[in-house]
Amino acid sequence: MTQPGTRTSSRVEAAFDAARAEGRAAFVAFLTAGFPDRDAFLAAADAVLRHADMLEVGLPFSDPLGDGPTVQRASERALARGGGAAETLELVKALRSSTDKPLVVMTYYNPIYCYPGGEKAFVADLAAAGGDGMILPDLPPDEGSSLIQAAQAARVDTVFLVAPTSTDARLRLVAEASTGFVYAVSVTGVTGEREALPAEVGDLVRRTHAAGARNVAVGFGVASAETAGYVAEVADGVVVGSALIRALEDGSDVGELARQLRAGCERRRV
């Protein structure tokens, strides 16, 4: 019997393993919780999860320093209609009733710090809702020991970020603190759609693997099947957010876009 606090392979890790066994990169989709409204979010998530291997559920926040204008607008609209941490967890619970795919909340640290009961309560409520992990874009892992410990006890994955500017020492620190996967930022700056990604993406993924990370997913800038395919050649996972949210803004078929992005993730590695 597994002892309390002992980690077993998570649903997130299993999704990466399944994609790897099929010779492709995992497709990690991002949607902002409650955007454009609660019901539309759930419908979009259902459409996206028909093709994605896992879903990042963005917790709306008033000062998202790492997000570009598309995700910022989505957060502002969700917050304006009363969204936040409580609704995000409710939506995770609703999604868990209809999917067995990984659900990971992307959140800045402030909403966790301000959550009633603090870190332990947030992690416990996330686990109870059926959430599999947290992506923490603004929390340095060397300043997050108490949150990491709470997550380990609840068997919730903690995902930290690396960037092209990360030193080898920082890569090792992030790889050690992260479970599930490491999120590699393809460019310095904020999220958003880009026509092309830097050639250095492959080097960042290789360095992160060498630092001890088994699964590395690349985000920031992936906007099409073509750019997804480029990332899929070098990374274990491809993260797409702004392009999906823009499709919701424009009234486009978000499920069809997700299908195209998944096809890009199936490009064979070189």
Side-chain angles (χ1 to χ4, degrees), residues 10-102:
S10 70
R11 189 185 273 119
V12 172
E13 292 163 338
F16 277 96
D17 287 344
R20 185 179 291 111
E22 295 176 5
R24 62 178 178 83
F27 172 27
V28 183
F30 170 95
L31 294 172
T32 299
F35 173 80
D37 57 53
R38 189 181 190 279
D39 291 340
F41 166 81
L42 290 173
D46 178 68
V48 167
L49 281 168
R50 295 173 193 170
H51 307 284
D53 295 286
M54 71 183 74
L55 181 67
E56 293 181 20
V57 180
L59 195 159
F61 181 51
S62 59
D63 192 21
L65 297 179
D67 292 329
T70 302
V71 178
Q72 286 187 24
R73 287 195 302 271
S75 285
E76 288 168 0
R77 281 187 57 177
L79 289 169
R81 43 167 298 279
E87 183 182 68
T88 298
L89 296 182
E90 290 173 1
L91 291 170
V92 169
K93 184 176 181 179
L95 289 173
R96 177 52 66 216
S97 68
S98 61
T99 184
D100 61 358
K101 292 184 177 180

Side-chain angles (χ1 to χ4, degrees), residues 98-221:
S98 61
T99 184
D100 61 358
K101 292 184 177 180
L103 303 172
V104 181
V105 169
M106 174 175 266
T107 178
Y108 292 88
Y109 180 68
N110 185 271
I112 299 176
Y113 180 79
C114 295
Y115 191 78
E119 294 177 344
K120 290 184 177 179
F122 181 86
V123 171
D125 289 351
L126 173 59
D132 298 292
M134 301 175 291
I135 300 173
L136 303 154
D138 66 339
L139 179 65
D142 43 342
E143 297 180 11
S145 59
S146 59
L147 181 59
I148 292 171
Q149 290 172 7
Q152 288 176 339
R155 298 184 179 87
V156 169
D157 283 322
T158 52
V159 178
F160 294 95
L161 278 65
V162 296
T165 53
S166 297
T167 64
D168 289 344
R170 175 58 56 170
L171 293 178
R172 289 191 295 271
L173 178 66
V174 170
E176 182 178 354
S178 296
T179 55
F181 66 99
V182 169
Y183 192 125
V185 175
S186 65
V187 294
T188 54
V190 298
T191 62
E193 302 163 78
R194 293 174 173 84
E195 294 183 359
L197 296 175
E200 294 78 11
V201 169
D203 182 59
L204 175 59
V205 172
R206 286 189 291 272
R207 291 176 59 220
T208 307
H209 279 147
R214 184 165 187 266
N215 299 315
V216 181
V218 172
F220 284 43

